[in-house]
Amino acid sequence: MGILKDIYRPEWGWQQTLHRTRADGTQEPLHAPEVAHAAQKSGQRVASGSESLAGISPTRFITVTRNANQNISHLNTHVIARAFDTCPGDCAERRERWWALWNNLKEQVSIERAAGFNVVITGDWNRRLAPDGWSPADIHSTPAMRGRCC
């Protein structure tokens, strides 16, 4: 977070979304922050991802940044770890949160596509391609995967 604050300074035109404002007005740090230049960014919001799991995972969010001049919406998130591959015993709770975020992400993609934007998604899925056929490309009916890690 410190690197983002140092490199992308507001006085240079960069806008940072490092926190989410809750309904009660308190701010909570985002674990998947977003940085975009004011000259490019035309809109931004933070959507709900999944609820926290005490002692295991913080509340997760989805950052959505629209760049109208490029017709791109960038969505970024980070889902709960160890819900599938190496689940330590609280599998049902972890999987519930993993799928909640996945479904919320799909909803955000649909919103952006309906608004006419091309969508770029980045994040940490904390899941490998699965034998049951799951793939990050399942996020939309007409995806185009351009790369993946791990």
Side-chain angles (χ1 to χ4, degrees):
M1 295 296 258
I3 292 171
L4 286 176
K5 291 177 184 178
D6 291 342
I7 294 174
Y8 301 104
R9 295 181 182 181
E11 60 268 24
W12 297 341
W14 292 96
Q15 296 177 342
Q16 306 169 2
T17 301
L18 305 176
H19 295 85
R20 172 192 184 260
T21 304
R22 291 187 160 281
D24 64 5
T26 59
Q27 293 223 328
E28 179 174 11
L30 288 172
H31 294 274
E34 177 71 31
V35 178
H37 197 276
Q40 297 173 331
K41 187 167 71 172
S42 59
Q44 188 171 44
R45 69 180 185 281
V46 178
S48 175
S50 62
E51 293 299 317
S52 65
L53 186 55
I56 295 171
S57 177
T59 302
R60 305 292 178 142
F61 301 100
I62 303 163
T63 56
V64 181
T65 302
R66 286 182 172 177
N67 299 286
N69 61 335
Q70 297 166 334
N71 196 38
I72 292 174
S73 287
H74 175 226
L75 285 69
N76 189 35
T77 195
H78 186 171
V79 299
I80 189 170
R82 300 175 68 192
F84 295 93
D85 300 336
T86 58
C87 188
D90 47 7
C91 302
E93 294 87 355
R94 286 175 187 259
R95 286 186 183 140
E96 177 183 324
R97 281 156 181 81
W98 195 99
W99 284 111
L101 192 141
W102 179 252
N103 289 327
N104 288 336
L105 184 61
K106 287 174 75 170
E107 180 180 341
Q108 295 306 313
V109 167
S110 293
I111 290 168
E112 295 308 298
R113 295 291 297 143
F117 286 91
N118 294 306
V119 177
V120 175
I121 304 170
T122 57
D124 184 345
W125 307 119
N126 277 316
R127 185 175 183 189
R128 301 201 186 285
L129 297 177
D132 65 3
W134 177 86
S135 164
D138 295 341
I139 199 73
H140 190 264
S141 61
T142 58
M145 281 186 59
R146 298 294 183 228
R148 69 177 180 90
C149 169
C150 315

